[in-house]
Amino acid sequence: MNGKSAPSSRHPAAGALSLRVSFEGMSAVKASAGLLGAVWHADVTDHTEADIQVAMPSMLADQAGVLEQWRVDGDVREGRLGPALFRCTDKLLFVAISIDEPLTGQTRDIAGAAQQAYAALFEVMAAEGFAHLVRCWNYFADINQEQVDQGGVLERYRLFNIGRQAAFEASEHSAEVGAPAACALGTHGGPLTIYALAARSEPRSVENPRQVSAYRYPRRYGPKSPSFSRGSVLSDAAGGHVLFISGTASIVGHESVHVGDVVAQTEESLRNIVTVVAQANLGLGSEVFSSHKLCYKVFVRNPADAPVVADTVRRVLGMDMGEGKESGEATDMVVLQADVCRAELLVEIEAVGFA
Ligand code: 3EB
């Protein structure tokens, strides 16, 4: 969404537990009423109101950055626990954590930081009585850089997976079936930054039959598997639903496909998203969600690819540009520059839907 439109009007129906999100190109946090979390993405992380900042520039014209705001109706209580900032209602919890990587000599320890961050997240959940992790966002610098660790050389994303999985295994939360929806992207710098949504009620996790579950990836993708589900659906007693689709890339089975072809990678990512939407609907027993009516957060590795990726998303999804809008102003998509967690992947797309 861009700053000129009123994003909330695009999603008048909030989802489960009145949850909704907006993405704006301008930086002012509108009102604190009902604010669960505010996340600022920009190349310069100098925001004073956001709960958490991510060094990731917006690729849409005229935007200083992207402010992602999660909102609910009703009362929100704010607190801190260790490195975590949190806000919660009686049913939903937002947690934001930034942790500098511990240093061993000159070497940064992303595995250690991941383990600490997830331990802190699980501690807030336990303290506030939220049993279920629904969605996690993971952002850290130099995600594709190789590092010497314990005698071997591992990509930092793979080291991150070791620490994340260790924290899951030290907790009672599943790192496999029932794991939260998630994404993991590389920033331009700064601390490990994670934020998450948790609930008192259990979400339904969704897998993609076109892809091997990430928690079952073969060892060639790293000694420990990534701990996430392809999607999750949170529902409430009033019949509201929210669908979280994890970061989705051009992976079929467990292999990256269309190496070097950013348009084909975008199309394959969207085929995967359409499949996850269908699986979510299958689980719900009706066509609750449509890929045409989701909010998309698109990450491109190379800034120069942003226009063609955005055009491909609009072409495939037939996005409604809205009255008087020019192409480039589609309101249901933001495009950010980030590194994707396999060196050959040029694009990753995540989405959220409310019904
Ligand atoms: C993939 O499908 C691409 O480690 O939390 C997507 C979503 C990806 C989440 C994560 C990684 C994660 O394997 C990468």
Side-chain angles (χ1 to χ4, degrees):
M1 291 172 220
N2 69 73
K4 290 164 212 153
S5 64
S8 53
S9 70
R10 301 280 302 179
H11 298 283
L17 316 170
S18 78
L19 183 65
R20 58 217 182 256
V21 71
S22 64
F23 295 94
E24 305 208 34
M26 291 177 299
S27 59
V29 171
K30 269 199 184 128
S32 59
L35 183 71
L36 206 54
V39 183
W40 177 239
H41 311 70
D43 45 4
V44 183
T45 50
D46 57 356
H47 204 283
T48 53
E49 291 178 288
D51 299 314
I52 198 159
Q53 304 196 58
V54 185
M56 218 176 247
S58 169
M59 292 287 102
L60 297 184
D62 304 330
Q63 294 193 341
V66 170
L67 184 68
E68 177 178 329
Q69 293 177 81
W70 292 91
R71 287 183 185 276
V72 288
D73 296 332
D75 290 338
V76 175
R77 182 168 57 82
E78 184 175 317
R80 286 181 182 276
L81 184 66
L85 166 95
F86 68 87
R87 287 207 198 81
C88 58
T89 66
D90 55 345
K91 304 222 164 60
L92 280 172
L93 170 71
F94 172 88
V95 185
I97 299 169
S98 289
I99 287 191
D100 286 318
E101 295 175 41
L103 286 174
T104 309
Q106 303 278 58
T107 309
R108 291 171 296 174
D109 180 6
I110 187 62
Q115 194 167 353
Q116 276 180 37
Y118 273 83
L121 169 60
F122 293 140
E123 223 171 282
V124 175
M125 290 171 63
E128 299 298 323
F130 291 86
H132 304 284
L133 206 42
V134 180
R135 178 47 159 120
C136 296
W137 288 262
N138 303 291
Y139 298 128
F140 56 97
D142 305 316
I143 196 168
N144 300 126
Q145 203 177 89
E146 308 226 294
Q147 246 179 242
V148 179
D149 184 82
Q150 291 158 15
V153 176
L154 275 182
E155 188 189 36
R156 278 164 53 80
Y157 173 61
R158 299 178 182 198
L159 292 166
F160 169 84
N161 281 324
I162 293 173
R164 174 172 55 177
Q165 197 191 87
F168 269 86
E169 287 184 344
S171 77
E172 56 294 20
H173 299 280
S174 174
E176 303 191 346
V177 177
C183 58
L185 282 306
T187 64
H188 287 188
L192 167 65
T193 296
I194 71 166
Y195 59 102
L197 286 166
R200 293 204 209 276
S201 63
E202 190 174 1
R204 182 193 295 270
S205 57
V206 182
E207 287 302 300
N208 178 349
R210 303 180 80 237
Q211 297 184 310
V212 172
S213 293
Y215 45 78
R216 304 219 166 104
Y217 280 166
R219 286 286 296 268
R220 57 180 261 218
Y221 300 102
K224 298 288 178 181
S225 296
S227 312
F228 73 96
S229 295
R230 298 299 178 185
S232 64
V233 179
L234 188 64
S235 302
D236 66 20
H241 305 281
V242 182
L243 168 61
F244 296 95
I245 297 188
S246 292
T248 303
S250 182
I251 296 174
V252 177
H254 54 73
E255 313 251 11
S256 305
V257 295
H258 314 299
V259 173
D261 183 342
V262 74
V263 169
Q265 285 198 16
T266 305
E267 291 167 341
E268 198 68 64
S269 303
L270 292 168
R271 270 194 286 280
N272 281 326
I273 286 178
V274 165
T275 307
V276 173
V277 172
Q279 288 299 112
N281 287 337
L282 209 61
L284 290 165
S286 74
E287 298 293 303
V288 172
F289 293 104
S290 158
S291 58
H292 301 276
K293 293 180 187 151
L294 303 176
C295 280
Y296 287 89
K297 200 170 168 186
V298 177
F299 301 94
V300 294
R301 179 183 293 280
N302 302 316
D305 290 340
V308 70
V309 169
D311 284 348
T312 303
V313 174
R314 287 189 202 103
R315 168 169 57 76
V316 172
L317 297 174
M319 271 181 177
D320 171 14
M321 301 292 184
E323 284 287 299
K325 289 212 176 77
E326 321 221 328
S327 70
E329 285 193 306
T331 48
D332 288 78
M333 168 170 54
V334 291
V335 184
L336 295 156
Q337 192 276 318
D339 293 337
V340 183
C341 64
R342 289 184 187 180
E344 68 277 12
L345 293 175
L346 301 171
V347 60
E348 184 172 305
I349 306 176
E350 62 183 59
V352 58
F354 305 90

mmCIF file of all heavy atoms in Angstrom, residues 118 136 138 157 160-161 164 181-184 211 214 217 226-230 246-249 251 340-342 345 348, ligand 1:
data_model
loop_
_atom_site.group_PDB
_atom_site.id
_atom_site.type_symbol
_atom_site.label_atom_id
_atom_site.label_comp_id
_atom_site.label_asym_id
_atom_site.label_seq_id
_atom_site.Cartn_x
_atom_site.Cartn_y
_atom_site.Cartn_z
ATOM 1 N N TYR A 118 14.702 -16.037 20.597
ATOM 2 C CA TYR A 118 13.536 -16.944 20.712
ATOM 3 C C TYR A 118 13.275 -17.334 22.163
ATOM 4 O O TYR A 118 12.120 -17.468 22.559
ATOM 5 C CB TYR A 118 13.688 -18.155 19.776
ATOM 6 C CG TYR A 118 13.145 -17.811 18.415
ATOM 7 C CD1 TYR A 118 13.933 -17.132 17.489
ATOM 8 C CD2 TYR A 118 11.817 -18.059 18.086
ATOM 9 C CE1 TYR A 118 13.416 -16.736 16.267
ATOM 10 C CE2 TYR A 118 11.291 -17.665 16.859
ATOM 11 C CZ TYR A 118 12.091 -17.018 15.960
ATOM 12 O OH TYR A 118 11.554 -16.610 14.754
ATOM 13 N N CYS A 136 6.076 -15.405 12.861
ATOM 14 C CA CYS A 136 7.349 -14.800 13.249
ATOM 15 C C CYS A 136 8.019 -14.144 12.048
ATOM 16 O O CYS A 136 8.019 -14.720 10.952
ATOM 17 C CB CYS A 136 8.330 -15.856 13.765
ATOM 18 S SG CYS A 136 7.780 -16.660 15.257
ATOM 19 N N ASN A 138 11.756 -12.662 10.867
ATOM 20 C CA ASN A 138 13.175 -12.756 11.244
ATOM 21 C C ASN A 138 14.027 -11.954 10.268
ATOM 22 O O ASN A 138 14.031 -12.259 9.066
ATOM 23 C CB ASN A 138 13.636 -14.216 11.178
ATOM 24 C CG ASN A 138 12.794 -15.128 12.056
ATOM 25 O OD1 ASN A 138 12.845 -15.042 13.277
ATOM 26 N ND2 ASN A 138 11.994 -15.994 11.431
ATOM 27 N N TYR A 157 22.523 -17.814 7.461
ATOM 28 C CA TYR A 157 21.131 -18.279 7.582
ATOM 29 C C TYR A 157 21.080 -19.674 8.224
ATOM 30 O O TYR A 157 20.208 -19.964 9.038
ATOM 31 C CB TYR A 157 20.447 -18.302 6.207
ATOM 32 C CG TYR A 157 19.073 -18.929 6.255
ATOM 33 C CD1 TYR A 157 18.058 -18.389 7.040
ATOM 34 C CD2 TYR A 157 18.802 -20.103 5.533
ATOM 35 C CE1 TYR A 157 16.802 -18.987 7.105
ATOM 36 C CE2 TYR A 157 17.550 -20.696 5.594
ATOM 37 C CZ TYR A 157 16.559 -20.132 6.381
ATOM 38 O OH TYR A 157 15.321 -20.726 6.446
ATOM 39 N N PHE A 160 21.703 -19.316 11.847
ATOM 40 C CA PHE A 160 20.462 -18.820 12.463
ATOM 41 C C PHE A 160 19.513 -19.985 12.744
ATOM 42 O O PHE A 160 18.915 -20.080 13.818
ATOM 43 C CB PHE A 160 19.805 -17.785 11.539
ATOM 44 C CG PHE A 160 18.404 -17.413 11.941
ATOM 45 C CD1 PHE A 160 18.185 -16.439 12.907
ATOM 46 C CD2 PHE A 160 17.306 -18.047 11.369
ATOM 47 C CE1 PHE A 160 16.885 -16.112 13.299
ATOM 48 C CE2 PHE A 160 16.012 -17.723 11.760
ATOM 49 C CZ PHE A 160 15.801 -16.754 12.725
ATOM 50 N N ASN A 161 19.382 -20.896 11.766
ATOM 51 C CA ASN A 161 18.482 -22.041 11.945
ATOM 52 C C ASN A 161 18.891 -22.933 13.113
ATOM 53 O O ASN A 161 18.033 -23.493 13.800
ATOM 54 C CB ASN A 161 18.427 -22.874 10.658
ATOM 55 C CG ASN A 161 17.520 -22.245 9.617
ATOM 56 O OD1 ASN A 161 16.486 -21.669 9.963
ATOM 57 N ND2 ASN A 161 17.908 -22.330 8.356
ATOM 58 N N ARG A 164 17.735 -20.965 16.274
ATOM 59 C CA ARG A 164 16.267 -20.927 16.372
ATOM 60 C C ARG A 164 15.732 -22.285 16.796
ATOM 61 O O ARG A 164 14.917 -22.400 17.703
ATOM 62 C CB ARG A 164 15.654 -20.494 15.039
ATOM 63 C CG ARG A 164 14.125 -20.587 15.041
ATOM 64 C CD ARG A 164 13.483 -19.976 13.799
ATOM 65 N NE ARG A 164 13.987 -20.519 12.542
ATOM 66 C CZ ARG A 164 13.524 -20.169 11.347
ATOM 67 N NH1 ARG A 164 12.567 -19.257 11.244
ATOM 68 N NH2 ARG A 164 14.020 -20.691 10.249
ATOM 69 N N ALA A 181 3.943 -19.732 11.026
ATOM 70 C CA ALA A 181 4.325 -19.133 9.748
ATOM 71 C C ALA A 181 5.482 -18.186 10.031
ATOM 72 O O ALA A 181 5.593 -17.644 11.134
ATOM 73 C CB ALA A 181 3.149 -18.383 9.143
ATOM 74 N N ALA A 182 6.368 -17.996 9.052
ATOM 75 C CA ALA A 182 7.547 -17.144 9.293
ATOM 76 C C ALA A 182 8.132 -16.627 7.995
ATOM 77 O O ALA A 182 7.699 -17.001 6.889
ATOM 78 C CB ALA A 182 8.618 -17.929 10.058
ATOM 79 N N CYS A 183 9.119 -15.769 8.148
ATOM 80 C CA CYS A 183 9.967 -15.358 7.031
ATOM 81 C C CYS A 183 11.342 -15.070 7.604
ATOM 82 O O CYS A 183 11.480 -14.848 8.804
ATOM 83 C CB CYS A 183 9.413 -14.106 6.338
ATOM 84 S SG CYS A 183 9.233 -12.713 7.464
ATOM 85 N N ALA A 184 12.361 -15.118 6.773
ATOM 86 C CA ALA A 184 13.725 -14.795 7.200
ATOM 87 C C ALA A 184 14.397 -14.059 6.049
ATOM 88 O O ALA A 184 14.537 -14.611 4.951
ATOM 89 C CB ALA A 184 14.495 -16.063 7.553
ATOM 90 N N GLN A 211 5.727 -28.288 -2.122
ATOM 91 C CA GLN A 211 7.035 -28.113 -1.480
ATOM 92 C C GLN A 211 7.210 -29.100 -0.335
ATOM 93 O O GLN A 211 6.253 -29.397 0.385
ATOM 94 C CB GLN A 211 7.159 -26.695 -0.905
ATOM 95 C CG GLN A 211 7.105 -25.587 -1.948
ATOM 96 C CD GLN A 211 7.344 -24.219 -1.312
ATOM 97 O OE1 GLN A 211 6.712 -23.869 -0.312
ATOM 98 N NE2 GLN A 211 8.247 -23.453 -1.899
ATOM 99 N N ALA A 214 9.497 -27.207 5.223
ATOM 100 C CA ALA A 214 10.833 -26.665 5.516
ATOM 101 C C ALA A 214 11.500 -27.403 6.670
ATOM 102 O O ALA A 214 12.720 -27.601 6.672
ATOM 103 C CB ALA A 214 10.729 -25.172 5.815
ATOM 104 N N TYR A 217 13.448 -30.319 5.284
ATOM 105 C CA TYR A 217 14.461 -30.136 4.235
ATOM 106 C C TYR A 217 15.621 -31.098 4.482
ATOM 107 O O TYR A 217 16.029 -31.316 5.623
ATOM 108 C CB TYR A 217 15.028 -28.709 4.269
ATOM 109 C CG TYR A 217 14.199 -27.629 3.610
ATOM 110 C CD1 TYR A 217 14.503 -26.289 3.848
ATOM 111 C CD2 TYR A 217 13.149 -27.906 2.740
ATOM 112 C CE1 TYR A 217 13.784 -25.256 3.252
ATOM 113 C CE2 TYR A 217 12.428 -26.879 2.145
ATOM 114 C CZ TYR A 217 12.747 -25.561 2.401
ATOM 115 O OH TYR A 217 12.042 -24.556 1.820
ATOM 116 N N PRO A 226 14.937 -25.283 8.988
ATOM 117 C CA PRO A 226 14.203 -24.073 9.391
ATOM 118 C C PRO A 226 12.908 -24.468 10.123
ATOM 119 O O PRO A 226 12.244 -25.428 9.736
ATOM 120 C CB PRO A 226 13.872 -23.390 8.066
ATOM 121 C CG PRO A 226 14.627 -24.110 7.000
ATOM 122 C CD PRO A 226 14.964 -25.463 7.526
ATOM 123 N N SER A 227 12.587 -23.719 11.189
ATOM 124 C CA SER A 227 11.432 -24.056 12.017
ATOM 125 C C SER A 227 10.245 -23.166 11.644
ATOM 126 O O SER A 227 9.988 -22.162 12.299
ATOM 127 C CB SER A 227 11.782 -23.853 13.494
ATOM 128 O OG SER A 227 13.025 -24.454 13.795
ATOM 129 N N PHE A 228 9.550 -23.533 10.568
ATOM 130 C CA PHE A 228 8.361 -22.765 10.217
ATOM 131 C C PHE A 228 7.412 -23.592 9.367
ATOM 132 O O PHE A 228 7.815 -24.576 8.752
ATOM 133 C CB PHE A 228 8.728 -21.454 9.504
ATOM 134 C CG PHE A 228 9.225 -21.598 8.076
ATOM 135 C CD1 PHE A 228 8.369 -21.454 6.990
ATOM 136 C CD2 PHE A 228 10.561 -21.883 7.812
ATOM 137 C CE1 PHE A 228 8.829 -21.576 5.671
ATOM 138 C CE2 PHE A 228 11.032 -22.015 6.500
ATOM 139 C CZ PHE A 228 10.151 -21.855 5.433
ATOM 140 N N SER A 229 6.141 -23.196 9.363
ATOM 141 C CA SER A 229 5.126 -23.789 8.498
ATOM 142 C C SER A 229 4.907 -22.863 7.310
ATOM 143 O O SER A 229 5.222 -21.674 7.372
ATOM 144 C CB SER A 229 3.808 -23.957 9.263
ATOM 145 O OG SER A 229 3.965 -24.889 10.314
ATOM 146 N N ARG A 230 4.355 -23.377 6.238
ATOM 147 C CA ARG A 230 4.141 -22.549 5.037
ATOM 148 C C ARG A 230 3.082 -21.487 5.250
ATOM 149 O O ARG A 230 3.041 -20.476 4.544
ATOM 150 C CB ARG A 230 3.760 -23.434 3.851
ATOM 151 C CG ARG A 230 4.837 -24.438 3.462
ATOM 152 C CD ARG A 230 6.131 -23.774 3.044
ATOM 153 N NE ARG A 230 7.169 -24.756 2.707
ATOM 154 C CZ ARG A 230 8.421 -24.428 2.405
ATOM 155 N NH1 ARG A 230 8.801 -23.157 2.400
ATOM 156 N NH2 ARG A 230 9.298 -25.345 2.124
ATOM 157 N N SER A 246 3.677 -17.586 4.888
ATOM 158 C CA SER A 246 5.108 -17.411 5.142
ATOM 159 C C SER A 246 5.815 -16.851 3.919
ATOM 160 O O SER A 246 5.295 -16.917 2.800
ATOM 161 C CB SER A 246 5.734 -18.762 5.479
ATOM 162 O OG SER A 246 5.269 -19.226 6.723
ATOM 163 N N GLY A 247 6.992 -16.343 4.123
ATOM 164 C CA GLY A 247 7.845 -15.971 3.019
ATOM 165 C C GLY A 247 7.895 -17.137 2.038
ATOM 166 O O GLY A 247 8.146 -18.266 2.441
ATOM 167 N N THR A 248 7.602 -16.860 0.764
ATOM 168 C CA THR A 248 7.427 -17.912 -0.231
ATOM 169 C C THR A 248 8.322 -17.608 -1.418
ATOM 170 O O THR A 248 8.312 -16.491 -1.948
ATOM 171 C CB THR A 248 5.945 -17.969 -0.666
ATOM 172 O OG1 THR A 248 5.137 -18.182 0.492
ATOM 173 C CG2 THR A 248 5.708 -19.079 -1.669
ATOM 174 N N ALA A 249 9.098 -18.599 -1.836
ATOM 175 C CA ALA A 249 10.083 -18.375 -2.891
ATOM 176 C C ALA A 249 9.886 -19.381 -4.015
ATOM 177 O O ALA A 249 8.963 -20.183 -4.012
ATOM 178 C CB ALA A 249 11.487 -18.456 -2.311
ATOM 179 N N ILE A 251 10.717 -22.248 -4.947
ATOM 180 C CA ILE A 251 11.187 -23.562 -4.521
ATOM 181 C C ILE A 251 10.098 -24.572 -4.829
ATOM 182 O O ILE A 251 8.934 -24.363 -4.480
ATOM 183 C CB ILE A 251 11.517 -23.569 -3.009
ATOM 184 C CG1 ILE A 251 12.688 -22.612 -2.708
ATOM 185 C CG2 ILE A 251 11.832 -24.987 -2.525
ATOM 186 C CD1 ILE A 251 12.994 -22.431 -1.235
ATOM 187 N N VAL A 340 17.602 -12.686 0.181
ATOM 188 C CA VAL A 340 16.764 -13.855 0.386
ATOM 189 C C VAL A 340 17.682 -14.982 0.853
ATOM 190 O O VAL A 340 18.876 -14.999 0.544
ATOM 191 C CB VAL A 340 16.003 -14.207 -0.917
ATOM 192 C CG1 VAL A 340 15.054 -15.372 -0.714
ATOM 193 C CG2 VAL A 340 15.244 -12.987 -1.424
ATOM 194 N N CYS A 341 17.115 -15.954 1.597
ATOM 195 C CA CYS A 341 17.980 -16.854 2.351
ATOM 196 C C CYS A 341 18.589 -18.020 1.566
ATOM 197 O O CYS A 341 19.173 -18.908 2.172
ATOM 198 C CB CYS A 341 17.266 -17.344 3.582
ATOM 199 S SG CYS A 341 15.861 -18.321 3.143
ATOM 200 N N ARG A 342 18.486 -18.019 0.254
ATOM 201 C CA ARG A 342 19.374 -18.867 -0.550
ATOM 202 C C ARG A 342 19.958 -17.921 -1.584
ATOM 203 O O ARG A 342 19.206 -17.136 -2.185
ATOM 204 C CB ARG A 342 18.600 -19.979 -1.270
ATOM 205 C CG ARG A 342 18.069 -21.070 -0.350
ATOM 206 C CD ARG A 342 17.396 -22.161 -1.177
ATOM 207 N NE ARG A 342 16.734 -23.143 -0.333
ATOM 208 C CZ ARG A 342 16.081 -24.197 -0.801
ATOM 209 N NH1 ARG A 342 16.007 -24.401 -2.123
ATOM 210 N NH2 ARG A 342 15.498 -25.057 0.019
ATOM 211 N N LEU A 345 18.158 -17.300 -4.906
ATOM 212 C CA LEU A 345 16.788 -16.794 -4.929
ATOM 213 C C LEU A 345 16.800 -15.270 -5.034
ATOM 214 O O LEU A 345 17.508 -14.589 -4.301
ATOM 215 C CB LEU A 345 16.022 -17.238 -3.677
ATOM 216 C CG LEU A 345 15.769 -18.742 -3.576
ATOM 217 C CD1 LEU A 345 15.119 -19.089 -2.238
ATOM 218 C CD2 LEU A 345 14.908 -19.249 -4.732
ATOM 219 N N GLU A 348 11.265 -13.077 -2.759
ATOM 220 C CA GLU A 348 10.465 -13.826 -1.789
ATOM 221 C C GLU A 348 9.218 -12.990 -1.521
ATOM 222 O O GLU A 348 9.277 -11.770 -1.444
ATOM 223 C CB GLU A 348 11.271 -14.060 -0.505
ATOM 224 C CG GLU A 348 10.537 -14.916 0.503
ATOM 225 C CD GLU A 348 11.410 -15.312 1.714
ATOM 226 O OE1 GLU A 348 12.496 -15.884 1.498
ATOM 227 O OE2 GLU A 348 10.989 -15.034 2.852
HETATM 228 C C1 3EB B 1 12.096 -21.325 1.874
HETATM 229 O O1 3EB B 1 10.982 -21.645 1.470
HETATM 230 C C2 3EB B 1 12.520 -19.908 1.617
HETATM 231 O O2 3EB B 1 13.609 -19.573 7.858
HETATM 232 O O3 3EB B 1 11.815 -18.664 8.697
HETATM 233 C C3 3EB B 1 10.848 -18.716 3.810
HETATM 234 C C4 3EB B 1 10.054 -18.496 4.946
HETATM 235 C C5 3EB B 1 12.178 -19.033 3.968
HETATM 236 C C6 3EB B 1 10.600 -18.603 6.225
HETATM 237 C C7 3EB B 1 12.493 -19.050 7.731
HETATM 238 C C8 3EB B 1 12.710 -19.119 5.261
HETATM 239 C C9 3EB B 1 11.929 -18.917 6.376
HETATM 240 O O4 3EB B 1 12.875 -22.120 2.424
HETATM 241 C C10 3EB B 1 13.062 -19.235 2.793
#
